[in-house]
Amino acid sequence: MNWERLISDKRLGMEEFHDRRIHIRSDFQRDYDRMIFSSPFRRLQNKTQVFPLPGSIFVHNRLTHSLEVSSVGRSMAREAWLLMRSRHEGRESGPALDKIPDIVAAACLCHDLGNPPFGHSGEKTISTWFSEGAGLRLRDNLTERQWCDFSRFEGNANSFRLLTHQFCGRRKGGFAMTYSTLASIVKYPWTSLHGGEKGKFGFFESEEEDYRRVALELGIPELEEGVFARHPLVYLMEAADDICYQVMDIEDSHRLGILSTDEVKSLLLSFFGEKDRGRMERAMGHLDDPNEQVGYLRSNAIGVMVGECAGVFADNEERMLAGERMPSLVSQMRPRLAEAYSRCSHIAWNRIYCASDVVDVDIAGNRIITYLMDALMDAVLHPERNSSKLLLLKVPRQYDTGAASLYERLQSVLDHVSGMTDVYALDLFRKLNGHSLPAV
C-alpha cells in the first residue's frame, strides 16, 4: 500500500461529482462536521457506555466517549505525522499525510455509531437472540454467511452499514463519507465467516461490495477471499478508543465510589517513573478535590500513552503499509506503560464491569432487547396479522420491513433496534406491554 492512494477524498456514492478543487474545509473536515450534525451521532447521548445514564453523578455515554476518542485520535495522528514527516519530505506522500489528523478525528467520531442500546451487552443480546433464542428457527432459511452475520452481530460492522447503506429515502452511498474515513473505521476488515473465536468482523454481506469498492480505490489488498489488510489509520483510531474507554472507565468508577481515591491514584501513577510521580504528587498537593486530582492524573496518563502509541505507529509504518497484521498499538507500548494499562484492564473486568449497577443495566437491557426482537421479528415474518400491521407502523419508514428477501427483512429489524436509544427502547417496551399509555 502507499499513502498517495490510501488518502483519498473521493466520496462513496458521489464519485461522479468528485473534484480536486481546494475548499475552505477539506473533505475530511466535512466528514467530521457531517457526523456532528447527524441524527445517529446525536442519539449516542442516550446510549449507555458502561454505567447507567446520569442521575446526580455524570458518567460517560456513547456520545461523550466518541468525542473524547476523536480528540485523542486527532492528537495521536498529529504526533505520529510529526515523527514521520522527515521520511516524506519532497515525496508525493507528504501533502497527503498532512490530512491524517482530520481523517482519524472523523473516523473516531463514527466508530461507535452502530452500537445498540445498553452498552456492549446489547450486541451480545442481539447475537444470542439468533444463536440461543427464538431466532434459532430461522437458521435453515439463511445462508451460512447470513447466519454468521446475525448470530455474531457486530457493532463495528453495523457502523459501516449505517454510514454506507442506502436506506429508504436516503441518497446513494448513505452518508457519502470519504473513502479514507470509511476504511479507517473498519477494525476487522473481513467477513463474518472469518470472525474466529471472538466473532469480530467488519462488514455484513449486504455491504461487502461497498467495502470492496473502497478497498480497490485505496489499494488495500485482499489477503485471502473475504479477508483484507487493515488501512493503517485504523491502528490510530483503535488505540484512541482503547485508551479512552480504559482510563475513563476508571475515572467514572471513582466518581461512583466503586474504586477509592487511593486505588485510582495508584493505578494512574503506575504509568510514570519515580521522577514524574514525584512531580505529579506535588502538583496534586495544590488540589483539594479528589475528583480534580484523579482528573489531573487521567490527563497525564492519556498524554503519555498518546505519545507512546504515536511512536509505535511511526516505527511500524512499513509493516502496516505491507499489509502485515500487527497487534494493537497499545499492546506494543514499552513495558511500564503496557503493565500499567494491563492493571487498569484487570481492575475494570474484576471490579467495574461486574459492579451491581452495571449488571442491573445488562439484565434490564437483555430483557428489553429480547422482547423487542421477539415482537418485531414476528411482525416482519407475519406481516398479514393485525397485530403485526399495528406494530410495523411504529417502525420508521427508512427501514424496509417489506423487503424481498428474508435477510433484508431481518436486517430492517436490526437496523431499528440497534438505532434505538436506551430511553426509547425502554419506552417502547413499556408501551408494547401496556404499561405506558399516552395521557388521555
Side-chain angles (χ1 to χ4, degrees):
M1 293 181 280
N2 63 77
W3 290 113
E4 293 91 328
R5 285 187 68 183
L6 287 167
I7 307 299
S8 170
D9 58 8
K10 189 177 289 188
R11 293 189 174 279
L12 184 70
M14 298 183 67
E15 292 85 355
E16 61 187 290
F17 303 107
H18 181 63
D19 67 71
R20 295 190 176 278
R21 290 181 297 165
I22 298 175
H23 301 274
I24 294 173
R25 291 179 299 157
S26 74
D27 279 288
F28 307 119
Q29 290 169 329
R30 290 169 185 260
D31 282 348
Y32 182 95
D33 295 344
R34 189 167 293 183
M35 273 302 97
I36 287 287
F37 285 91
S38 72
S39 294
F41 185 73
R42 288 197 300 272
R43 285 198 293 268
L44 294 178
Q45 69 180 316
N46 275 322
K47 287 191 175 186
T48 297
Q49 175 68 16
V50 173
F51 299 104
L53 293 176
S56 58
I57 298 176
F58 180 82
V59 292
H60 287 79
N61 54 44
R62 288 283 180 190
L63 185 139
T64 51
H65 168 72
S66 297
L67 289 169
E68 289 172 350
V69 173
S70 183
S71 177
V72 168
R74 180 190 285 112
S75 296
M76 192 184 300
R78 177 166 176 75
E79 195 157 341
W81 166 228
L82 290 174
L83 292 170
M84 295 160 53
R85 184 166 57 182
S86 62
R87 301 176 203 161
H88 296 270
E89 285 182 4
R91 294 163 57 181
E92 291 183 17
S93 55
L97 280 171
D98 284 336
K99 306 295 194 303
I100 68 171
D102 290 334
I103 298 171
V104 173
C108 288
L109 276 189
C110 302
H111 82 283
D112 266 354
L113 284 184
N115 281 63
F118 305 109
H120 286 293
S121 67
E123 281 180 293
K124 189 69 174 176
T125 299
I126 290 174
S127 63
T128 54
W129 187 87
F130 289 95
S131 63
E132 300 175 6
L136 264 174
R137 70 184 188 274
L138 301 171
R139 182 166 190 170
D140 292 340
N141 303 108
L142 298 166
T143 67
E144 182 184 4
R145 167 76 182 279
Q146 292 169 348
W147 177 254
C148 284
D149 281 358
F150 293 148
S151 61
R152 298 175 175 179
F153 179 82
E154 169 60 51
N156 291 278
N158 203 41
S159 293
F160 189 77
R161 174 176 170 81
L162 188 60
L163 290 170
T164 61
H165 184 68
Q166 186 177 6
F167 292 99
C168 298
R170 296 294 300 277
R171 64 183 170 188
K172 185 180 178 182
F175 278 92
M177 305 292 277
T178 62
Y179 280 37
S180 292
T181 296
L182 288 173
S184 297
I185 73 162
V186 182
K187 293 167 67 174
Y188 316 106
W190 47 79
T191 73
S192 57
L193 293 174
H194 298 86
E197 291 184 7
K198 293 185 177 180
K200 298 290 187 181
F201 63 99
F203 43 84
F204 299 117
E205 181 182 73
S206 49
E207 283 70 55
E208 181 174 352
E209 285 309 308
D210 287 328
Y211 186 78
R212 285 185 175 278
R213 189 188 316 172
V214 170
L216 181 64
E217 173 69 22
L218 301 181
I220 298 174
E222 187 170 10
L223 305 177
E224 60 179 276
E225 180 65 30
V227 178
F228 295 81
R230 268 184 167 189
H231 191 294
L233 298 186
V234 170
Y235 288 97
L236 292 172
M237 182 277 291
E238 178 185 50
D241 185 29
D242 289 345
I243 289 170
C244 285
Y245 80 72
Q246 201 65 266
V247 175
M248 302 314 298
D249 288 351
I250 295 291
E251 184 175 20
D252 280 350
S253 68
H254 173 258
R255 287 183 176 274
L256 293 169
I258 296 171
L259 298 179
S260 70
T261 300
D262 287 343
E263 285 178 302
V264 173
K265 282 183 179 180
S266 176
L267 282 171
L268 296 179
L269 283 170
S270 67
F271 283 93
F272 305 96
E274 289 187 20
K275 183 179 178 181
D276 286 330
R277 287 188 201 181
R279 173 178 57 80
M280 291 176 188
E281 287 172 342
R282 288 193 296 274
M284 282 190 294
H286 300 287
L287 301 170
D288 294 328
D289 186 342
N291 288 327
E292 290 295 318
Q293 293 176 342
V294 169
Y296 168 75
L297 292 177
R298 175 259 303 154
S299 174
N300 280 275
I302 289 177
V304 73
M305 284 192 283
V306 164
E308 182 75 5
C309 288
V312 173
F313 182 88
D315 290 343
N316 288 278
E317 179 186 5
E318 302 234 343
R319 292 176 64 194
M320 291 181 289
L321 290 176
E324 183 178 335
R325 189 182 296 183
M326 297 195 321
S328 68
L329 302 183
V330 167
S331 68
Q332 296 182 71
M333 295 188 298
R334 62 184 183 270
R336 185 180 67 238
L337 297 179
E339 289 168 10
Y341 182 89
S342 179
R343 278 194 287 273
C344 289
S345 180
H346 179 78
I347 289 291
W349 282 106
N350 290 282
R351 297 277 301 283
I352 298 174
Y353 303 147
C354 59
S356 178
D357 286 349
V358 175
V359 174
D360 287 346
V361 169
D362 290 347
I363 292 172
N366 181 282
R367 176 85 179 269
I368 292 167
I369 291 177
T370 298
Y371 180 85
L372 295 179
M373 291 279 288
D374 286 341
L376 290 165
M377 288 296 188
D378 189 64
V380 298
L381 292 171
H382 304 285
E384 73 284 355
R385 296 175 181 171
N386 182 58
S387 58
S388 299
K389 293 176 183 177
L390 290 172
L391 183 53
L392 292 177
L393 290 173
K394 296 291 293 180
V395 180
R397 292 182 180 178
Q398 64 179 312
Y399 305 130
D400 190 5
T401 57
S405 73
L406 175 63
Y407 177 68
E408 292 172 300
R409 293 197 298 276
L410 299 180
Q411 275 192 313
S412 73
V413 174
L414 297 184
D415 291 332
H416 184 33
V417 172
S418 65
M420 294 178 182
T421 64
D422 296 15
V423 174
Y424 179 85
L426 175 59
D427 181 59
L428 183 59
F429 172 79
R430 287 171 170 166
K431 286 176 178 175
L432 296 183
N433 278 285
H435 297 155
S436 175
L437 294 172
V440 177

